[in-house]
Amino acid sequence: MIGSTHALDGKVAIVAGGSGGIGSETCRLLAEAGATVVVGYRAGKDRAAAIVKAMPGAGHIALPIAIEDTATINGFRDAVLKAFGRADILVNTAGITKPVGHADLDSLSDALIDEIFVNNWRGVFATIRAFAPALKESGDGLIVNVSSIAGFTGVGSNVAYCAAKAGIDVMTKSLGRALAPAVRVMAVSPGMVDTQFVPGRGKEVTDKVAATTPLKRLTSPTDVAEAILSCAIALKFSTGTRIVVDGGRHL
């Protein structure tokens, strides 16, 4: 375990996309470190409730958020602040993608491009915008955006996804400067993660990627969650930068 189990005592941590693979592990580790956790979920109400029940500590809650809908994001923020009166850590793990070959330009339709950017960039920004005043008021606020090595390698599920994640990296730099010194902003960039995030990605693909990764396995949700936790409790003098968690996949 990284750091003390009391390192985040008194902190309220919000995880958008908290019912997903990376999100649920992040919620668990933040709770183990002492934070009170808000599990933000889009559709998995029962799964989110189970995550809340399984986490150590008390006071955790699950609340709905649809990051493509700014009004819903603002309602989510209002519910968080009504429940706790503060926000100290915001983790953005929500997003979507769909496999499209990079050379297949016609299959990357305008509608899919818009959907990817709304869910992987605009929604993240809108969530940050909603919580920024409360995070500033904390005086020791932290935002962690889950990006991807696709953002700097140009290799990923489709061209738009790569571009959206590159945008997350630039947003992290820009807001790291703009929100300082009251709020730090970090990005965590995994390689291929061992979840069902990418529809239709089979074992043949994941086995091949694991075999060609220097550390010989896929990134696990726990790997990513531990990096996020490190941003909160260890990397206190870092902002506007990314942590790559890919077993050397980008090399």
Side-chain angles (χ1 to χ4, degrees), residues 163-192:
K165 290 303 187 180
I168 289 292
D169 291 348
V170 172
M171 182 202 302
T172 298
K173 290 180 180 293
S174 297
L175 295 184
R177 179 176 61 249
L179 299 181
V183 181
R184 294 185 300 112
V185 187
M186 298 289 286
V188 170
S189 297
M192 184 180 287

mmCIF file of all heavy atoms in Angstrom, residues 163-192:
data_model
loop_
_atom_site.group_PDB
_atom_site.id
_atom_site.type_symbol
_atom_site.label_atom_id
_atom_site.label_comp_id
_atom_site.label_asym_id
_atom_site.label_seq_id
_atom_site.Cartn_x
_atom_site.Cartn_y
_atom_site.Cartn_z
ATOM 1 N N ALA A 163 -6.586 11.834 -30.530
ATOM 2 C CA ALA A 163 -6.613 13.289 -30.501
ATOM 3 C C ALA A 163 -7.257 13.816 -29.221
ATOM 4 O O ALA A 163 -6.794 14.797 -28.631
ATOM 5 C CB ALA A 163 -7.362 13.823 -31.724
ATOM 6 N N ALA A 164 -8.336 13.163 -28.781
ATOM 7 C CA ALA A 164 -8.999 13.600 -27.552
ATOM 8 C C ALA A 164 -8.081 13.442 -26.347
ATOM 9 O O ALA A 164 -8.042 14.306 -25.463
ATOM 10 C CB ALA A 164 -10.296 12.816 -27.354
ATOM 11 N N LYS A 165 -7.330 12.347 -26.312
ATOM 12 C CA LYS A 165 -6.416 12.147 -25.186
ATOM 13 C C LYS A 165 -5.224 13.105 -25.249
ATOM 14 O O LYS A 165 -4.724 13.548 -24.217
ATOM 15 C CB LYS A 165 -5.955 10.687 -25.147
ATOM 16 C CG LYS A 165 -7.057 9.709 -24.745
ATOM 17 C CD LYS A 165 -7.662 10.052 -23.389
ATOM 18 C CE LYS A 165 -8.636 8.990 -22.902
ATOM 19 N NZ LYS A 165 -9.218 9.324 -21.577
ATOM 20 N N ALA A 166 -4.770 13.441 -26.471
ATOM 21 C CA ALA A 166 -3.753 14.491 -26.589
ATOM 22 C C ALA A 166 -4.303 15.802 -26.034
ATOM 23 O O ALA A 166 -3.592 16.565 -25.368
ATOM 24 C CB ALA A 166 -3.341 14.652 -28.049
ATOM 25 N N GLY A 167 -5.583 16.041 -26.293
ATOM 26 C CA GLY A 167 -6.232 17.224 -25.742
ATOM 27 C C GLY A 167 -6.297 17.213 -24.226
ATOM 28 O O GLY A 167 -6.162 18.255 -23.576
ATOM 29 N N ILE A 168 -6.499 16.036 -23.636
ATOM 30 C CA ILE A 168 -6.478 15.915 -22.171
ATOM 31 C C ILE A 168 -5.101 16.280 -21.633
ATOM 32 O O ILE A 168 -4.978 16.980 -20.609
ATOM 33 C CB ILE A 168 -6.870 14.485 -21.743
ATOM 34 C CG1 ILE A 168 -8.360 14.228 -21.988
ATOM 35 C CG2 ILE A 168 -6.513 14.231 -20.276
ATOM 36 C CD1 ILE A 168 -9.286 15.023 -21.088
ATOM 37 N N ASP A 169 -4.046 15.828 -22.314
ATOM 38 C CA ASP A 169 -2.691 16.156 -21.868
ATOM 39 C C ASP A 169 -2.442 17.662 -21.913
ATOM 40 O O ASP A 169 -1.855 18.241 -20.987
ATOM 41 C CB ASP A 169 -1.663 15.427 -22.730
ATOM 42 C CG ASP A 169 -1.661 13.922 -22.518
ATOM 43 O OD1 ASP A 169 -2.283 13.455 -21.546
ATOM 44 O OD2 ASP A 169 -1.035 13.213 -23.331
ATOM 45 N N VAL A 170 -2.882 18.315 -22.986
ATOM 46 C CA VAL A 170 -2.707 19.762 -23.101
ATOM 47 C C VAL A 170 -3.566 20.492 -22.072
ATOM 48 O O VAL A 170 -3.125 21.471 -21.451
ATOM 49 C CB VAL A 170 -3.043 20.229 -24.531
ATOM 50 C CG1 VAL A 170 -3.050 21.754 -24.617
ATOM 51 C CG2 VAL A 170 -2.037 19.658 -25.528
ATOM 52 N N MET A 171 -4.806 20.012 -21.866
ATOM 53 C CA MET A 171 -5.653 20.600 -20.843
ATOM 54 C C MET A 171 -4.988 20.522 -19.471
ATOM 55 O O MET A 171 -5.037 21.477 -18.684
ATOM 56 C CB MET A 171 -7.006 19.883 -20.789
ATOM 57 C CG MET A 171 -7.983 20.463 -19.773
ATOM 58 S SD MET A 171 -9.271 19.296 -19.252
ATOM 59 C CE MET A 171 -10.042 18.898 -20.799
ATOM 60 N N THR A 172 -4.381 19.378 -19.194
ATOM 61 C CA THR A 172 -3.702 19.204 -17.910
ATOM 62 C C THR A 172 -2.599 20.238 -17.731
ATOM 63 O O THR A 172 -2.449 20.836 -16.653
ATOM 64 C CB THR A 172 -3.139 17.776 -17.816
ATOM 65 O OG1 THR A 172 -4.231 16.840 -17.863
ATOM 66 C CG2 THR A 172 -2.350 17.562 -16.544
ATOM 67 N N LYS A 173 -1.819 20.474 -18.772
ATOM 68 C CA LYS A 173 -0.766 21.495 -18.706
ATOM 69 C C LYS A 173 -1.361 22.890 -18.503
ATOM 70 O O LYS A 173 -0.923 23.662 -17.640
ATOM 71 C CB LYS A 173 0.069 21.474 -19.987
ATOM 72 C CG LYS A 173 0.961 20.260 -20.149
ATOM 73 C CD LYS A 173 1.744 20.336 -21.448
ATOM 74 C CE LYS A 173 2.640 19.119 -21.630
ATOM 75 N NZ LYS A 173 3.717 19.076 -20.630
ATOM 76 N N SER A 174 -2.365 23.216 -19.315
ATOM 77 C CA SER A 174 -2.961 24.545 -19.249
ATOM 78 C C SER A 174 -3.584 24.822 -17.885
ATOM 79 O O SER A 174 -3.366 25.887 -17.291
ATOM 80 C CB SER A 174 -4.029 24.694 -20.340
ATOM 81 O OG SER A 174 -3.466 24.591 -21.626
ATOM 82 N N LEU A 175 -4.347 23.853 -17.370
ATOM 83 C CA LEU A 175 -5.011 24.066 -16.092
ATOM 84 C C LEU A 175 -4.063 23.927 -14.919
ATOM 85 O O LEU A 175 -4.287 24.515 -13.856
ATOM 86 C CB LEU A 175 -6.201 23.113 -15.956
ATOM 87 C CG LEU A 175 -7.333 23.341 -16.956
ATOM 88 C CD1 LEU A 175 -8.497 22.398 -16.670
ATOM 89 C CD2 LEU A 175 -7.809 24.789 -16.957
ATOM 90 N N GLY A 176 -2.991 23.155 -15.088
ATOM 91 C CA GLY A 176 -1.966 23.110 -14.045
ATOM 92 C C GLY A 176 -1.393 24.494 -13.779
ATOM 93 O O GLY A 176 -1.097 24.861 -12.634
ATOM 94 N N ARG A 177 -1.252 25.262 -14.850
ATOM 95 C CA ARG A 177 -0.778 26.642 -14.715
ATOM 96 C C ARG A 177 -1.900 27.561 -14.234
ATOM 97 O O ARG A 177 -1.716 28.373 -13.317
ATOM 98 C CB ARG A 177 -0.251 27.117 -16.069
ATOM 99 C CG ARG A 177 0.265 28.547 -16.102
ATOM 100 C CD ARG A 177 0.849 28.895 -17.464
ATOM 101 N NE ARG A 177 -0.156 28.776 -18.525
ATOM 102 C CZ ARG A 177 -0.128 27.833 -19.470
ATOM 103 N NH1 ARG A 177 0.830 26.916 -19.495
ATOM 104 N NH2 ARG A 177 -1.064 27.805 -20.409
ATOM 105 N N ALA A 178 -3.091 27.426 -14.826
ATOM 106 C CA ALA A 178 -4.178 28.369 -14.555
ATOM 107 C C ALA A 178 -4.755 28.241 -13.151
ATOM 108 O O ALA A 178 -5.184 29.240 -12.566
ATOM 109 C CB ALA A 178 -5.292 28.172 -15.586
ATOM 110 N N LEU A 179 -4.783 27.016 -12.604
ATOM 111 C CA LEU A 179 -5.412 26.805 -11.297
ATOM 112 C C LEU A 179 -4.429 26.826 -10.135
ATOM 113 O O LEU A 179 -4.838 26.720 -8.975
ATOM 114 C CB LEU A 179 -6.184 25.477 -11.303
ATOM 115 C CG LEU A 179 -7.316 25.375 -12.331
ATOM 116 C CD1 LEU A 179 -8.020 24.026 -12.214
ATOM 117 C CD2 LEU A 179 -8.308 26.517 -12.192
ATOM 118 N N ALA A 180 -3.136 26.947 -10.414
ATOM 119 C CA ALA A 180 -2.130 27.007 -9.357
ATOM 120 C C ALA A 180 -2.244 28.345 -8.606
ATOM 121 O O ALA A 180 -2.686 29.344 -9.173
ATOM 122 C CB ALA A 180 -0.740 26.872 -9.970
ATOM 123 N N PRO A 181 -1.850 28.375 -7.345
ATOM 124 C CA PRO A 181 -1.261 27.288 -6.559
ATOM 125 C C PRO A 181 -2.280 26.487 -5.743
ATOM 126 O O PRO A 181 -1.918 25.511 -5.100
ATOM 127 C CB PRO A 181 -0.321 28.032 -5.612
ATOM 128 C CG PRO A 181 -1.057 29.315 -5.332
ATOM 129 C CD PRO A 181 -1.748 29.675 -6.636
ATOM 130 N N ALA A 182 -3.549 26.878 -5.778
ATOM 131 C CA ALA A 182 -4.533 26.234 -4.897
ATOM 132 C C ALA A 182 -4.895 24.828 -5.351
ATOM 133 O O ALA A 182 -5.279 23.992 -4.539
ATOM 134 C CB ALA A 182 -5.804 27.081 -4.814
ATOM 135 N N VAL A 183 -4.768 24.561 -6.667
ATOM 136 C CA VAL A 183 -5.168 23.262 -7.207
ATOM 137 C C VAL A 183 -4.057 22.730 -8.100
ATOM 138 O O VAL A 183 -3.572 23.442 -8.989
ATOM 139 C CB VAL A 183 -6.472 23.371 -8.040
ATOM 140 C CG1 VAL A 183 -6.882 21.999 -8.570
ATOM 141 C CG2 VAL A 183 -7.593 23.987 -7.210
ATOM 142 N N ARG A 184 -3.660 21.492 -7.865
ATOM 143 C CA ARG A 184 -2.731 20.813 -8.763
ATOM 144 C C ARG A 184 -3.517 19.983 -9.776
ATOM 145 O O ARG A 184 -4.596 19.489 -9.469
ATOM 146 C CB ARG A 184 -1.791 19.884 -7.972
ATOM 147 C CG ARG A 184 -0.859 20.620 -7.039
ATOM 148 C CD ARG A 184 0.140 19.699 -6.365
ATOM 149 N NE ARG A 184 -0.494 18.665 -5.574
ATOM 150 C CZ ARG A 184 -0.481 17.366 -5.858
ATOM 151 N NH1 ARG A 184 0.142 16.922 -6.945
ATOM 152 N NH2 ARG A 184 -1.076 16.491 -5.071
ATOM 153 N N VAL A 185 -2.968 19.858 -10.977
ATOM 154 C CA VAL A 185 -3.639 19.108 -12.036
ATOM 155 C C VAL A 185 -2.635 18.122 -12.638
ATOM 156 O O VAL A 185 -1.567 18.518 -13.097
ATOM 157 C CB VAL A 185 -4.176 20.034 -13.147
ATOM 158 C CG1 VAL A 185 -5.024 19.238 -14.138
ATOM 159 C CG2 VAL A 185 -4.992 21.176 -12.555
ATOM 160 N N MET A 186 -2.996 16.853 -12.623
ATOM 161 C CA MET A 186 -2.119 15.799 -13.123
ATOM 162 C C MET A 186 -2.878 14.919 -14.106
ATOM 163 O O MET A 186 -4.100 14.854 -14.091
ATOM 164 C CB MET A 186 -1.605 14.929 -11.965
ATOM 165 C CG MET A 186 -0.764 15.670 -10.935
ATOM 166 S SD MET A 186 0.847 16.139 -11.573
ATOM 167 C CE MET A 186 1.675 14.543 -11.590
ATOM 168 N N ALA A 187 -2.125 14.225 -14.955
ATOM 169 C CA ALA A 187 -2.701 13.214 -15.837
ATOM 170 C C ALA A 187 -1.979 11.899 -15.610
ATOM 171 O O ALA A 187 -0.769 11.882 -15.365
ATOM 172 C CB ALA A 187 -2.575 13.625 -17.305
ATOM 173 N N VAL A 188 -2.728 10.823 -15.681
ATOM 174 C CA VAL A 188 -2.152 9.478 -15.618
ATOM 175 C C VAL A 188 -2.466 8.809 -16.956
ATOM 176 O O VAL A 188 -3.622 8.760 -17.371
ATOM 177 C CB VAL A 188 -2.733 8.669 -14.447
ATOM 178 C CG1 VAL A 188 -2.312 7.205 -14.534
ATOM 179 C CG2 VAL A 188 -2.279 9.274 -13.128
ATOM 180 N N SER A 189 -1.411 8.329 -17.632
ATOM 181 C CA SER A 189 -1.546 7.801 -18.987
ATOM 182 C C SER A 189 -1.211 6.318 -19.024
ATOM 183 O O SER A 189 -0.037 5.945 -19.085
ATOM 184 C CB SER A 189 -0.625 8.567 -19.938
ATOM 185 O OG SER A 189 -0.993 9.925 -20.013
ATOM 186 N N PRO A 190 -2.216 5.462 -19.000
ATOM 187 C CA PRO A 190 -1.962 4.023 -19.112
ATOM 188 C C PRO A 190 -1.774 3.587 -20.558
ATOM 189 O O PRO A 190 -2.148 4.306 -21.500
ATOM 190 C CB PRO A 190 -3.213 3.392 -18.508
ATOM 191 C CG PRO A 190 -4.285 4.408 -18.721
ATOM 192 C CD PRO A 190 -3.620 5.751 -18.698
ATOM 193 N N GLY A 191 -1.186 2.402 -20.708
ATOM 194 C CA GLY A 191 -1.229 1.717 -21.987
ATOM 195 C C GLY A 191 -2.527 0.941 -22.069
ATOM 196 O O GLY A 191 -3.528 1.310 -21.448
ATOM 197 N N MET A 192 -2.536 -0.140 -22.827
ATOM 198 C CA MET A 192 -3.752 -0.962 -22.903
ATOM 199 C C MET A 192 -4.052 -1.542 -21.520
ATOM 200 O O MET A 192 -3.203 -2.194 -20.911
ATOM 201 C CB MET A 192 -3.582 -2.100 -23.915
ATOM 202 C CG MET A 192 -4.846 -2.918 -24.099
ATOM 203 S SD MET A 192 -4.664 -4.263 -25.300
ATOM 204 C CE MET A 192 -4.625 -3.325 -26.834
#
